[in-house]
Amino acid sequence: MRAGRLAILPTETVYGLGADAANPAAVAAVFAAKGRPQFNPLIAHVAGLAEAEAIAAFDHRARALAAAFWPGPLTLVLPVRDGDAVCDLARAGLDTVAVRAPSHPMAQALLRAFGGPVVAPSANRSGRPSPTTHADAMSETGAAAAASLDGGPCRVGLESTVVALLDVPRLLRPGSVTRAQLEAVVGPLAEAQADAGRSPGRLARHYAPDAPVRLEARAPRAGEAYLAFGSYPPAEGAWNLSPAGDLAEAAANLFAMLRAADATSPAGIAVAPVPEDGLGEAINDRLRRAAGYVG
């Protein structure tokens, strides 16, 4: 990575394709490997709060959220302090930077050894379901990586929650740190509105398998693969995100099961209803984008 090359690394959320955030050529290689639009900013991963404060301007709200949820699956969008440490290309030309401290021990070890911010967007081709296993990451972008770390299946399975703290706190992308947990620390969250473009994962069609995705499906149609949830009985050979109706289990299984269903070359992928409560907000956000329903 110090030589400008790319590495696949595990985080608690999904596997990332990592590069030196200060190196525009390395960041450009990430965009090229993913086929990612360059107007879509990347998250700078750091070891902890001290490293984050070197590149971003923290206020009391940002420090309170970091104290509550770092290291962990929360990204903060803040005014940039050091535009060289996270290059202009990584920030999509914005005056803000998205930053988080992941909790996975391998990611932490890599970040501390590297000694600087690392961009690490999900290690999939742009728009595809994010990889939550080393094998899936390698199948997507392994050819572009000089090295990889196998940290086992990702515990969370959904990309980080993203909150902007530029005026009022805004929820830009839901994730496993839920709205209720965030509001307990910083009060009511405004919707994304004009700050939406400061976060990754906001494309209308994103996280999408090759097969079309149909939501709120209580049963599959002919030729469809089926992702059940809880009490919705799966058809023969179907997948169940969580037979017990556990949203955390469903989140951890979501991308792997989308990939497994897609690998059967179905006419489509039908997904059972998932409640919107708590972590369900993030799961349904990913599902709607996989189906192309969110702008």
Side-chain angles (χ1 to χ4, degrees):
M1 288 174 63
R2 288 182 181 135
R5 302 181 74 184
L6 311 185
I8 286 173
L9 65 145
T11 77
E12 73 278 20
T13 57
V14 300
Y15 274 78
L17 183 61
D20 180 356
N23 185 332
V27 173
V30 171
F31 281 111
K34 287 177 59 65
R36 182 185 178 109
Q38 293 192 6
F39 58 78
N40 202 354
L42 304 180
I43 294 169
H45 295 71
V46 296
L49 180 59
E51 293 83 359
E53 291 213 54
I55 63 172
F58 276 66
D59 61 14
H60 69 282
R61 303 169 303 174
R63 291 189 187 96
L65 287 171
F69 302 112
W70 279 8
L74 174 65
T75 293
L76 301 177
V77 175
L78 302 166
V80 66
R81 171 170 284 166
D82 185 346
D84 293 326
V86 183
C87 69
D88 188 71
L89 181 59
R91 292 181 285 106
L94 299 168
D95 59 358
T96 53
V97 61
V99 61
R100 90 173 181 101
S103 64
H104 195 290
M106 279 191 175
Q108 277 286 321
L110 176 61
L111 289 166
R112 293 191 183 281
F114 181 69
V118 169
V119 295
S122 54
N124 54 282
R125 299 188 304 280
S126 187
R128 295 267 300 156
S130 300
T132 55
T133 67
H134 181 258
D136 283 343
M138 290 298 292
S139 71
E140 286 278 338
T141 57
S148 71
L149 294 172
D150 185 351
C154 298
R155 175 179 58 83
V156 174
L158 293 178
E159 299 82 1
S160 60
T161 304
V162 181
V163 173
L165 294 166
L166 305 175
D167 44 23
V168 298
R170 297 185 188 278
L171 180 61
L172 304 191
R173 181 175 73 183
S176 64
V177 179
T178 66
R179 183 186 296 268
Q181 290 175 305
L182 295 164
E183 290 183 338
V185 177
V186 294
L189 293 168
E191 297 306 317
Q193 297 179 353
D195 286 336
R198 299 182 186 274
S199 171
R202 297 287 305 183
L203 300 180
R205 183 166 170 81
H206 205 72
Y207 316 114
D210 292 330
V213 175
R214 183 170 65 91
L215 306 182
E216 302 290 327
R218 302 192 179 259
R221 296 171 181 164
E224 286 184 327
Y226 189 57
L227 269 59
F229 175 78
S231 61
Y232 289 96
E236 183 178 352
W239 293 262
N240 197 321
L241 294 169
S242 173
D246 182 295
L247 290 171
E249 182 182 22
N253 286 333
L254 177 60
F255 288 134
M257 288 188 177
L258 273 176
R259 286 175 171 276
D262 201 37
T264 67
S265 300
I269 300 173
V271 185
V274 176
E276 284 278 353
D277 298 339
L279 186 51
E281 180 181 13
I283 296 170
N284 282 298
D285 171 78
R286 304 312 192 274
L287 285 170
R288 284 190 286 268
R289 292 180 194 280
Y293 289 167
V294 179

